[in-house]
mmCIF file of all heavy atoms in Angstrom:
data_model
loop_
_atom_site.group_PDB
_atom_site.id
_atom_site.type_symbol
_atom_site.label_atom_id
_atom_site.label_comp_id
_atom_site.label_asym_id
_atom_site.label_seq_id
_atom_site.Cartn_x
_atom_site.Cartn_y
_atom_site.Cartn_z
ATOM 1 N N ILE Q 1445 5.679 1.955 -6.846
ATOM 2 C CA ILE Q 1445 5.205 1.986 -5.463
ATOM 3 C C ILE Q 1445 4.312 3.205 -5.296
ATOM 4 O O ILE Q 1445 4.673 4.306 -5.711
ATOM 5 C CB ILE Q 1445 6.389 2.079 -4.466
ATOM 6 C CG1 ILE Q 1445 7.335 0.884 -4.616
ATOM 7 C CG2 ILE Q 1445 5.901 2.219 -3.038
ATOM 8 C CD1 ILE Q 1445 6.767 -0.434 -4.151
ATOM 9 N N GLU Q 1446 3.154 3.009 -4.691
ATOM 10 C CA GLU Q 1446 2.271 4.141 -4.410
ATOM 11 C C GLU Q 1446 1.674 3.977 -3.023
ATOM 12 O O GLU Q 1446 1.584 2.867 -2.506
ATOM 13 C CB GLU Q 1446 1.180 4.269 -5.465
ATOM 14 C CG GLU Q 1446 0.256 3.096 -5.584
ATOM 15 C CD GLU Q 1446 -0.748 3.275 -6.706
ATOM 16 O OE1 GLU Q 1446 -1.522 4.241 -6.662
ATOM 17 O OE2 GLU Q 1446 -0.741 2.438 -7.617
ATOM 18 N N PRO Q 1447 1.290 5.078 -2.405
ATOM 19 C CA PRO Q 1447 0.693 5.008 -1.073
ATOM 20 C C PRO Q 1447 -0.562 4.143 -1.092
ATOM 21 O O PRO Q 1447 -1.315 4.149 -2.065
ATOM 22 C CB PRO Q 1447 0.340 6.463 -0.759
ATOM 23 C CG PRO Q 1447 1.186 7.276 -1.670
ATOM 24 C CD PRO Q 1447 1.371 6.448 -2.898
ATOM 25 N N VAL Q 1448 -0.758 3.394 -0.035
ATOM 26 C CA VAL Q 1448 -1.905 2.493 0.050
ATOM 27 C C VAL Q 1448 -2.602 2.635 1.397
ATOM 28 O O VAL Q 1448 -2.039 3.143 2.362
ATOM 29 C CB VAL Q 1448 -1.477 1.019 -0.159
ATOM 30 C CG1 VAL Q 1448 -0.984 0.779 -1.569
ATOM 31 C CG2 VAL Q 1448 -0.448 0.588 0.858
ATOM 32 N N PHE Q 1449 -3.836 2.174 1.431
ATOM 33 C CA PHE Q 1449 -4.578 2.027 2.677
ATOM 34 C C PHE Q 1449 -4.418 0.579 3.122
ATOM 35 O O PHE Q 1449 -4.221 -0.311 2.308
ATOM 36 C CB PHE Q 1449 -6.070 2.305 2.465
ATOM 37 C CG PHE Q 1449 -6.374 3.718 2.071
ATOM 38 C CD1 PHE Q 1449 -6.669 4.034 0.752
ATOM 39 C CD2 PHE Q 1449 -6.374 4.741 3.004
ATOM 40 C CE1 PHE Q 1449 -6.960 5.325 0.370
ATOM 41 C CE2 PHE Q 1449 -6.651 6.045 2.638
ATOM 42 C CZ PHE Q 1449 -6.947 6.330 1.320
ATOM 43 N N MET Q 1450 -4.526 0.338 4.422
ATOM 44 C CA MET Q 1450 -4.425 -1.018 4.942
ATOM 45 C C MET Q 1450 -5.749 -1.371 5.605
ATOM 46 O O MET Q 1450 -6.249 -0.616 6.451
ATOM 47 C CB MET Q 1450 -3.295 -1.089 5.962
ATOM 48 C CG MET Q 1450 -2.986 -2.452 6.401
ATOM 49 S SD MET Q 1450 -1.560 -2.955 5.483
ATOM 50 C CE MET Q 1450 -0.863 -4.130 6.577
ATOM 51 N N GLN Q 1451 -6.321 -2.490 5.199
ATOM 52 C CA GLN Q 1451 -7.585 -2.959 5.776
ATOM 53 C C GLN Q 1451 -7.510 -4.470 5.892
ATOM 54 O O GLN Q 1451 -7.332 -5.160 4.890
ATOM 55 C CB GLN Q 1451 -8.759 -2.554 4.872
ATOM 56 C CG GLN Q 1451 -10.109 -3.028 5.324
ATOM 57 C CD GLN Q 1451 -10.658 -2.173 6.455
ATOM 58 O OE1 GLN Q 1451 -10.272 -1.032 6.626
ATOM 59 N NE2 GLN Q 1451 -11.559 -2.738 7.217
ATOM 60 N N ASP Q 1452 -7.607 -5.003 7.097
ATOM 61 C CA ASP Q 1452 -7.559 -6.445 7.339
ATOM 62 C C ASP Q 1452 -6.321 -7.099 6.729
ATOM 63 O O ASP Q 1452 -6.394 -8.174 6.135
ATOM 64 C CB ASP Q 1452 -8.824 -7.126 6.809
ATOM 65 C CG ASP Q 1452 -10.086 -6.622 7.497
ATOM 66 O OD1 ASP Q 1452 -10.019 -6.326 8.703
ATOM 67 O OD2 ASP Q 1452 -11.131 -6.531 6.825
ATOM 68 N N GLY Q 1453 -5.171 -6.428 6.840
ATOM 69 C CA GLY Q 1453 -3.925 -6.971 6.346
ATOM 70 C C GLY Q 1453 -3.730 -6.876 4.843
ATOM 71 O O GLY Q 1453 -2.747 -7.367 4.306
ATOM 72 N N GLN Q 1454 -4.648 -6.248 4.143
ATOM 73 C CA GLN Q 1454 -4.564 -6.087 2.694
ATOM 74 C C GLN Q 1454 -4.255 -4.639 2.339
ATOM 75 O O GLN Q 1454 -4.731 -3.726 3.008
ATOM 76 C CB GLN Q 1454 -5.891 -6.482 2.024
ATOM 77 C CG GLN Q 1454 -6.262 -7.928 2.205
ATOM 78 C CD GLN Q 1454 -5.361 -8.841 1.393
ATOM 79 O OE1 GLN Q 1454 -4.865 -8.476 0.332
ATOM 80 N NE2 GLN Q 1454 -5.134 -10.036 1.903
ATOM 81 N N HIS Q 1455 -3.491 -4.445 1.278
ATOM 82 C CA HIS Q 1455 -3.205 -3.101 0.774
ATOM 83 C C HIS Q 1455 -4.206 -2.747 -0.311
ATOM 84 O O HIS Q 1455 -4.531 -3.578 -1.148
ATOM 85 C CB HIS Q 1455 -1.818 -3.036 0.156
ATOM 86 C CG HIS Q 1455 -0.716 -3.136 1.147
ATOM 87 N ND1 HIS Q 1455 0.592 -3.066 0.781
ATOM 88 C CD2 HIS Q 1455 -0.699 -3.291 2.487
ATOM 89 C CE1 HIS Q 1455 1.355 -3.172 1.835
ATOM 90 N NE2 HIS Q 1455 0.585 -3.322 2.890
ATOM 91 N N TYR Q 1456 -4.662 -1.511 -0.282
ATOM 92 C CA TYR Q 1456 -5.570 -1.008 -1.305
ATOM 93 C C TYR Q 1456 -5.085 0.366 -1.758
ATOM 94 O O TYR Q 1456 -4.880 1.247 -0.936
ATOM 95 C CB TYR Q 1456 -6.996 -0.870 -0.757
ATOM 96 C CG TYR Q 1456 -7.600 -2.182 -0.330
ATOM 97 C CD1 TYR Q 1456 -7.586 -2.575 0.996
ATOM 98 C CD2 TYR Q 1456 -8.176 -3.034 -1.265
ATOM 99 C CE1 TYR Q 1456 -8.133 -3.776 1.395
ATOM 100 C CE2 TYR Q 1456 -8.730 -4.240 -0.876
ATOM 101 C CZ TYR Q 1456 -8.701 -4.613 0.455
ATOM 102 O OH TYR Q 1456 -9.241 -5.812 0.838
ATOM 103 N N THR Q 1457 -4.917 0.524 -3.063
ATOM 104 C CA THR Q 1457 -4.594 1.837 -3.593
ATOM 105 C C THR Q 1457 -5.823 2.719 -3.437
ATOM 106 O O THR Q 1457 -6.914 2.237 -3.130
ATOM 107 C CB THR Q 1457 -4.205 1.759 -5.082
ATOM 108 O OG1 THR Q 1457 -5.331 1.314 -5.830
ATOM 109 C CG2 THR Q 1457 -3.012 0.847 -5.295
ATOM 110 N N GLU Q 1458 -5.663 4.002 -3.670
ATOM 111 C CA GLU Q 1458 -6.804 4.907 -3.549
ATOM 112 C C GLU Q 1458 -7.923 4.514 -4.503
ATOM 113 O O GLU Q 1458 -9.097 4.545 -4.145
ATOM 114 C CB GLU Q 1458 -6.357 6.346 -3.774
ATOM 115 C CG GLU Q 1458 -5.492 6.864 -2.640
ATOM 116 C CD GLU Q 1458 -5.151 8.331 -2.763
ATOM 117 O OE1 GLU Q 1458 -5.936 9.079 -3.366
ATOM 118 O OE2 GLU Q 1458 -4.106 8.726 -2.238
ATOM 119 N N VAL Q 1459 -7.555 4.117 -5.720
ATOM 120 C CA VAL Q 1459 -8.557 3.712 -6.714
ATOM 121 C C VAL Q 1459 -9.269 2.439 -6.266
ATOM 122 O O VAL Q 1459 -10.502 2.344 -6.325
ATOM 123 C CB VAL Q 1459 -7.899 3.513 -8.099
ATOM 124 C CG1 VAL Q 1459 -8.869 2.892 -9.091
ATOM 125 C CG2 VAL Q 1459 -7.349 4.827 -8.620
ATOM 126 N N GLU Q 1460 -8.510 1.458 -5.800
ATOM 127 C CA GLU Q 1460 -9.109 0.205 -5.332
ATOM 128 C C GLU Q 1460 -10.017 0.446 -4.134
ATOM 129 O O GLU Q 1460 -11.109 -0.127 -4.052
ATOM 130 C CB GLU Q 1460 -8.023 -0.796 -4.960
ATOM 131 C CG GLU Q 1460 -7.219 -1.295 -6.131
ATOM 132 C CD GLU Q 1460 -5.982 -2.070 -5.709
ATOM 133 O OE1 GLU Q 1460 -5.494 -1.888 -4.570
ATOM 134 O OE2 GLU Q 1460 -5.500 -2.849 -6.539
ATOM 135 N N ALA Q 1461 -9.580 1.278 -3.201
ATOM 136 C CA ALA Q 1461 -10.389 1.578 -2.018
ATOM 137 C C ALA Q 1461 -11.707 2.231 -2.414
ATOM 138 O O ALA Q 1461 -12.760 1.913 -1.869
ATOM 139 C CB ALA Q 1461 -9.612 2.478 -1.063
ATOM 140 N N GLU Q 1462 -11.636 3.120 -3.375
ATOM 141 C CA GLU Q 1462 -12.846 3.789 -3.851
ATOM 142 C C GLU Q 1462 -13.779 2.793 -4.539
ATOM 143 O O GLU Q 1462 -14.993 2.823 -4.336
ATOM 144 C CB GLU Q 1462 -12.463 4.897 -4.824
ATOM 145 C CG GLU Q 1462 -13.615 5.767 -5.247
ATOM 146 C CD GLU Q 1462 -13.152 6.903 -6.134
ATOM 147 O OE1 GLU Q 1462 -12.317 7.709 -5.671
ATOM 148 O OE2 GLU Q 1462 -13.624 6.962 -7.288
ATOM 149 N N GLN Q 1463 -13.227 1.875 -5.314
ATOM 150 C CA GLN Q 1463 -14.028 0.892 -6.041
ATOM 151 C C GLN Q 1463 -14.784 -0.045 -5.106
ATOM 152 O O GLN Q 1463 -15.914 -0.429 -5.395
ATOM 153 C CB GLN Q 1463 -13.157 0.075 -6.990
ATOM 154 C CG GLN Q 1463 -12.675 0.835 -8.186
ATOM 155 C CD GLN Q 1463 -11.688 0.040 -9.034
ATOM 156 O OE1 GLN Q 1463 -11.168 -0.986 -8.612
ATOM 157 N NE2 GLN Q 1463 -11.436 0.536 -10.235
ATOM 158 N N ILE Q 1464 -14.160 -0.423 -3.991
ATOM 159 C CA ILE Q 1464 -14.820 -1.349 -3.072
ATOM 160 C C ILE Q 1464 -15.581 -0.629 -1.957
ATOM 161 O O ILE Q 1464 -16.167 -1.271 -1.101
ATOM 162 C CB ILE Q 1464 -13.830 -2.363 -2.470
ATOM 163 C CG1 ILE Q 1464 -12.780 -1.669 -1.596
ATOM 164 C CG2 ILE Q 1464 -13.201 -3.205 -3.545
ATOM 165 C CD1 ILE Q 1464 -11.932 -2.625 -0.788
ATOM 166 N N GLY Q 1465 -15.541 0.689 -1.971
ATOM 167 C CA GLY Q 1465 -16.269 1.466 -0.974
ATOM 168 C C GLY Q 1465 -15.612 1.493 0.386
ATOM 169 O O GLY Q 1465 -16.280 1.678 1.399
ATOM 170 N N LEU Q 1466 -14.310 1.331 0.425
ATOM 171 C CA LEU Q 1466 -13.564 1.350 1.679
ATOM 172 C C LEU Q 1466 -13.490 2.778 2.207
ATOM 173 O O LEU Q 1466 -13.082 3.687 1.495
ATOM 174 C CB LEU Q 1466 -12.152 0.802 1.447
ATOM 175 C CG LEU Q 1466 -11.217 0.755 2.648
ATOM 176 C CD1 LEU Q 1466 -11.744 -0.232 3.680
ATOM 177 C CD2 LEU Q 1466 -9.817 0.362 2.201
ATOM 178 N N THR Q 1467 -13.895 2.961 3.433
ATOM 179 C CA THR Q 1467 -13.786 4.282 4.054
ATOM 180 C C THR Q 1467 -12.746 4.193 5.167
ATOM 181 O O THR Q 1467 -12.728 3.250 5.943
ATOM 182 C CB THR Q 1467 -15.130 4.750 4.647
ATOM 183 O OG1 THR Q 1467 -15.594 3.775 5.577
ATOM 184 C CG2 THR Q 1467 -16.165 4.927 3.559
ATOM 185 N N THR Q 1468 -11.867 5.173 5.198
ATOM 186 C CA THR Q 1468 -10.815 5.187 6.203
ATOM 187 C C THR Q 1468 -10.732 6.564 6.842
ATOM 188 O O THR Q 1468 -11.166 7.547 6.262
ATOM 189 C CB THR Q 1468 -9.445 4.844 5.586
ATOM 190 O OG1 THR Q 1468 -9.113 5.861 4.659
ATOM 191 C CG2 THR Q 1468 -9.466 3.492 4.899
ATOM 192 N N ARG Q 1469 -10.161 6.588 8.015
ATOM 193 C CA ARG Q 1469 -9.955 7.857 8.702
ATOM 194 C C ARG Q 1469 -8.551 8.397 8.475
ATOM 195 O O ARG Q 1469 -8.254 9.521 8.801
ATOM 196 C CB ARG Q 1469 -10.189 7.678 10.198
ATOM 197 C CG ARG Q 1469 -11.638 7.385 10.534
ATOM 198 C CD ARG Q 1469 -11.781 7.182 11.999
ATOM 199 N NE ARG Q 1469 -11.117 5.900 12.308
ATOM 200 C CZ ARG Q 1469 -11.488 5.077 13.246
ATOM 201 N NH1 ARG Q 1469 -12.484 5.386 14.020
ATOM 202 N NH2 ARG Q 1469 -10.862 3.948 13.440
ATOM 203 N N SER Q 1470 -7.688 7.556 7.929
ATOM 204 C CA SER Q 1470 -6.301 7.978 7.729
ATOM 205 C C SER Q 1470 -6.000 8.161 6.249
ATOM 206 O O SER Q 1470 -6.762 7.738 5.390
ATOM 207 C CB SER Q 1470 -5.350 6.931 8.322
ATOM 208 O OG SER Q 1470 -5.509 5.711 7.641
ATOM 209 N N ARG Q 1471 -4.864 8.779 5.998
ATOM 210 C CA ARG Q 1471 -4.415 8.974 4.621
ATOM 211 C C ARG Q 1471 -3.703 7.711 4.147
ATOM 212 O O ARG Q 1471 -3.183 6.943 4.947
ATOM 213 C CB ARG Q 1471 -3.432 10.136 4.549
ATOM 214 C CG ARG Q 1471 -4.033 11.457 4.871
ATOM 215 C CD ARG Q 1471 -3.052 12.588 4.814
ATOM 216 N NE ARG Q 1471 -1.720 12.202 4.343
ATOM 217 C CZ ARG Q 1471 -0.806 13.033 3.947
ATOM 218 N NH1 ARG Q 1471 -1.036 14.307 3.964
ATOM 219 N NH2 ARG Q 1471 0.370 12.621 3.551
ATOM 220 N N SER Q 1472 -3.644 7.542 2.841
ATOM 221 C CA SER Q 1472 -2.851 6.438 2.302
ATOM 222 C C SER Q 1472 -1.379 6.764 2.531
ATOM 223 O O SER Q 1472 -0.998 7.930 2.615
ATOM 224 C CB SER Q 1472 -3.146 6.249 0.816
ATOM 225 O OG SER Q 1472 -2.824 7.411 0.093
ATOM 226 N N GLN Q 1473 -0.555 5.732 2.663
ATOM 227 C CA GLN Q 1473 0.857 5.953 2.930
ATOM 228 C C GLN Q 1473 1.701 4.794 2.414
ATOM 229 O O GLN Q 1473 1.186 3.709 2.164
ATOM 230 C CB GLN Q 1473 1.100 6.163 4.414
ATOM 231 C CG GLN Q 1473 0.589 5.053 5.298
ATOM 232 C CD GLN Q 1473 0.729 5.393 6.764
ATOM 233 O OE1 GLN Q 1473 1.790 5.797 7.215
ATOM 234 N NE2 GLN Q 1473 -0.333 5.237 7.518
ATOM 235 N N ILE Q 1474 2.984 5.049 2.245
ATOM 236 C CA ILE Q 1474 3.930 4.001 1.878
ATOM 237 C C ILE Q 1474 4.157 3.157 3.123
ATOM 238 O O ILE Q 1474 4.459 3.680 4.195
ATOM 239 C CB ILE Q 1474 5.268 4.605 1.385
ATOM 240 C CG1 ILE Q 1474 5.054 5.555 0.208
ATOM 241 C CG2 ILE Q 1474 6.261 3.496 1.036
ATOM 242 C CD1 ILE Q 1474 4.593 4.934 -1.058
ATOM 243 N N ARG Q 1475 4.029 1.845 2.991
ATOM 244 C CA ARG Q 1475 4.130 0.930 4.131
ATOM 245 C C ARG Q 1475 5.522 0.319 4.227
ATOM 246 O O ARG Q 1475 6.266 0.260 3.253
ATOM 247 C CB ARG Q 1475 3.101 -0.202 3.989
ATOM 248 C CG ARG Q 1475 1.680 0.264 3.808
ATOM 249 C CD ARG Q 1475 1.165 0.894 5.060
ATOM 250 N NE ARG Q 1475 -0.153 1.490 4.825
ATOM 251 C CZ ARG Q 1475 -0.955 1.878 5.767
ATOM 252 N NH1 ARG Q 1475 -0.611 1.755 7.022
ATOM 253 N NH2 ARG Q 1475 -2.115 2.430 5.481
ATOM 254 N N VAL Q 1476 5.870 -0.178 5.408
ATOM 255 C CA VAL Q 1476 7.179 -0.771 5.646
ATOM 256 C C VAL Q 1476 7.421 -1.944 4.698
ATOM 257 O O VAL Q 1476 8.513 -2.092 4.153
ATOM 258 C CB VAL Q 1476 7.322 -1.218 7.119
ATOM 259 C CG1 VAL Q 1476 8.583 -2.034 7.325
ATOM 260 C CG2 VAL Q 1476 7.297 -0.020 8.048
ATOM 261 N N ASP Q 1477 6.412 -2.770 4.474
ATOM 262 C CA ASP Q 1477 6.625 -3.906 3.588
ATOM 263 C C ASP Q 1477 6.856 -3.470 2.134
ATOM 264 O O ASP Q 1477 7.513 -4.175 1.363
ATOM 265 C CB ASP Q 1477 5.508 -4.939 3.690
ATOM 266 C CG ASP Q 1477 4.144 -4.380 3.428
ATOM 267 O OD1 ASP Q 1477 3.899 -3.202 3.708
ATOM 268 O OD2 ASP Q 1477 3.280 -5.144 2.936
ATOM 269 N N GLN Q 1478 6.366 -2.297 1.766
ATOM 270 C CA GLN Q 1478 6.672 -1.772 0.433
ATOM 271 C C GLN Q 1478 8.142 -1.360 0.345
ATOM 272 O O GLN Q 1478 8.773 -1.555 -0.685
ATOM 273 C CB GLN Q 1478 5.768 -0.588 0.099
ATOM 274 C CG GLN Q 1478 4.317 -0.986 -0.118
ATOM 275 C CD GLN Q 1478 3.439 0.228 -0.318
ATOM 276 O OE1 GLN Q 1478 3.211 0.985 0.620
ATOM 277 N NE2 GLN Q 1478 2.972 0.407 -1.540
ATOM 278 N N ILE Q 1479 8.680 -0.809 1.420
ATOM 279 C CA ILE Q 1479 10.100 -0.457 1.465
ATOM 280 C C ILE Q 1479 10.942 -1.733 1.378
ATOM 281 O O ILE Q 1479 11.953 -1.777 0.678
ATOM 282 C CB ILE Q 1479 10.446 0.337 2.747
ATOM 283 C CG1 ILE Q 1479 9.625 1.624 2.823
ATOM 284 C CG2 ILE Q 1479 11.943 0.615 2.829
ATOM 285 C CD1 ILE Q 1479 9.791 2.556 1.637
ATOM 286 N N ARG Q 1480 10.502 -2.786 2.043
ATOM 287 C CA ARG Q 1480 11.201 -4.072 1.940
ATOM 288 C C ARG Q 1480 11.147 -4.606 0.508
ATOM 289 O O ARG Q 1480 12.105 -5.208 0.027
ATOM 290 C CB ARG Q 1480 10.591 -5.070 2.916
ATOM 291 C CG ARG Q 1480 10.897 -4.744 4.355
ATOM 292 C CD ARG Q 1480 10.370 -5.802 5.300
ATOM 293 N NE ARG Q 1480 10.652 -5.412 6.656
ATOM 294 C CZ ARG Q 1480 9.736 -5.284 7.614
ATOM 295 N NH1 ARG Q 1480 8.469 -5.554 7.358
ATOM 296 N NH2 ARG Q 1480 10.085 -4.915 8.826
ATOM 297 N N GLN Q 1481 10.043 -4.390 -0.159
ATOM 298 C CA GLN Q 1481 9.900 -4.800 -1.555
ATOM 299 C C GLN Q 1481 10.910 -4.053 -2.431
ATOM 300 O O GLN Q 1481 11.520 -4.639 -3.330
ATOM 301 C CB GLN Q 1481 8.474 -4.536 -2.024
ATOM 302 C CG GLN Q 1481 8.174 -4.992 -3.412
ATOM 303 C CD GLN Q 1481 6.735 -4.662 -3.820
ATOM 304 O OE1 GLN Q 1481 6.005 -3.973 -3.117
ATOM 305 N NE2 GLN Q 1481 6.351 -5.166 -4.969
ATOM 306 N N ILE Q 1482 11.114 -2.771 -2.162
ATOM 307 C CA ILE Q 1482 12.102 -1.978 -2.894
ATOM 308 C C ILE Q 1482 13.499 -2.554 -2.670
ATOM 309 O O ILE Q 1482 14.275 -2.729 -3.616
ATOM 310 C CB ILE Q 1482 12.057 -0.496 -2.470
ATOM 311 C CG1 ILE Q 1482 10.757 0.146 -2.940
ATOM 312 C CG2 ILE Q 1482 13.262 0.261 -3.004
ATOM 313 C CD1 ILE Q 1482 10.515 1.534 -2.375
ATOM 314 N N THR Q 1483 13.828 -2.855 -1.420
ATOM 315 C CA THR Q 1483 15.135 -3.407 -1.084
ATOM 316 C C THR Q 1483 15.382 -4.716 -1.819
ATOM 317 O O THR Q 1483 16.444 -4.924 -2.406
ATOM 318 C CB THR Q 1483 15.250 -3.623 0.438
ATOM 319 O OG1 THR Q 1483 15.028 -2.375 1.100
ATOM 320 C CG2 THR Q 1483 16.613 -4.156 0.823
ATOM 321 N N ALA Q 1484 14.399 -5.598 -1.812
ATOM 322 C CA ALA Q 1484 14.535 -6.885 -2.506
ATOM 323 C C ALA Q 1484 14.684 -6.674 -4.010
ATOM 324 O O ALA Q 1484 15.489 -7.350 -4.670
ATOM 325 C CB ALA Q 1484 13.330 -7.766 -2.204
ATOM 326 N N PHE Q 1485 13.928 -5.738 -4.562
ATOM 327 C CA PHE Q 1485 13.991 -5.453 -5.997
ATOM 328 C C PHE Q 1485 15.376 -4.952 -6.390
ATOM 329 O O PHE Q 1485 15.929 -5.348 -7.415
ATOM 330 C CB PHE Q 1485 12.915 -4.413 -6.345
ATOM 331 C CG PHE Q 1485 12.853 -4.050 -7.797
ATOM 332 C CD1 PHE Q 1485 12.259 -4.890 -8.713
ATOM 333 C CD2 PHE Q 1485 13.385 -2.849 -8.250
ATOM 334 C CE1 PHE Q 1485 12.199 -4.552 -10.060
ATOM 335 C CE2 PHE Q 1485 13.324 -2.496 -9.583
ATOM 336 C CZ PHE Q 1485 12.734 -3.358 -10.493
ATOM 337 N N LEU Q 1486 15.957 -4.089 -5.564
ATOM 338 C CA LEU Q 1486 17.269 -3.523 -5.867
ATOM 339 C C LEU Q 1486 18.408 -4.528 -5.719
ATOM 340 O O LEU Q 1486 19.490 -4.329 -6.257
ATOM 341 C CB LEU Q 1486 17.532 -2.297 -4.991
ATOM 342 C CG LEU Q 1486 16.701 -1.074 -5.327
ATOM 343 C CD1 LEU Q 1486 16.948 0.028 -4.309
ATOM 344 C CD2 LEU Q 1486 17.010 -0.587 -6.736
ATOM 345 N N GLN Q 1487 18.177 -5.596 -4.986
ATOM 346 C CA GLN Q 1487 19.212 -6.609 -4.811
ATOM 347 C C GLN Q 1487 19.344 -7.519 -6.033
ATOM 348 O O GLN Q 1487 20.310 -8.255 -6.149
ATOM 349 C CB GLN Q 1487 18.933 -7.444 -3.564
ATOM 350 C CG GLN Q 1487 19.119 -6.652 -2.294
ATOM 351 C CD GLN Q 1487 18.740 -7.428 -1.057
ATOM 352 O OE1 GLN Q 1487 18.174 -8.518 -1.115
ATOM 353 N NE2 GLN Q 1487 19.046 -6.857 0.105
ATOM 354 N N GLN Q 1488 18.378 -7.466 -6.935
ATOM 355 C CA GLN Q 1488 18.414 -8.284 -8.141
ATOM 356 C C GLN Q 1488 18.948 -7.458 -9.304
ATOM 357 O O GLN Q 1488 18.607 -6.287 -9.436
ATOM 358 C CB GLN Q 1488 17.016 -8.773 -8.489
ATOM 359 C CG GLN Q 1488 16.358 -9.568 -7.397
ATOM 360 C CD GLN Q 1488 14.902 -9.854 -7.714
ATOM 361 O OE1 GLN Q 1488 14.422 -9.595 -8.797
ATOM 362 N NE2 GLN Q 1488 14.198 -10.379 -6.743
ATOM 363 N N PRO Q 1489 19.756 -8.055 -10.170
ATOM 364 C CA PRO Q 1489 20.231 -7.313 -11.348
ATOM 365 C C PRO Q 1489 19.084 -7.106 -12.338
ATOM 366 O O PRO Q 1489 18.154 -7.912 -12.399
ATOM 367 C CB PRO Q 1489 21.312 -8.231 -11.931
ATOM 368 C CG PRO Q 1489 20.965 -9.587 -11.447
ATOM 369 C CD PRO Q 1489 20.297 -9.404 -10.114
#
């Protein structure tokens, strides 16, 4: 899991955002749905 930017409902890592020329005013951050992904991952053996 790494901090991401959100643009039009899509997550972009810092590298991906730079590659597509995405400019943002905010910092990348861990999103709620990423935390849900962690929870689901931990529920599986």
Side-chain angles (χ1 to χ4, degrees):
I1445 300 290
E1446 61 183 300
V1448 293
F1449 295 103
M1450 188 100 153
Q1451 178 78 23
D1452 299 325
Q1454 297 289 329
H1455 290 182
Y1456 297 98
T1457 64
E1458 290 186 28
V1459 171
E1460 292 169 338
E1462 187 176 300
Q1463 288 174 346
I1464 64 170
L1466 180 65
T1467 56
T1468 64
R1469 292 178 290 213
S1470 63
R1471 294 179 5 165
S1472 60
Q1473 55 186 310
I1474 303 293
R1475 305 291 173 166
V1476 171
D1477 56 330
Q1478 291 175 290
I1479 301 303
R1480 290 184 182 124
Q1481 184 181 8
I1482 291 170
T1483 302
F1485 181 77
L1486 289 174
Q1487 291 175 351
Q1488 302 172 8

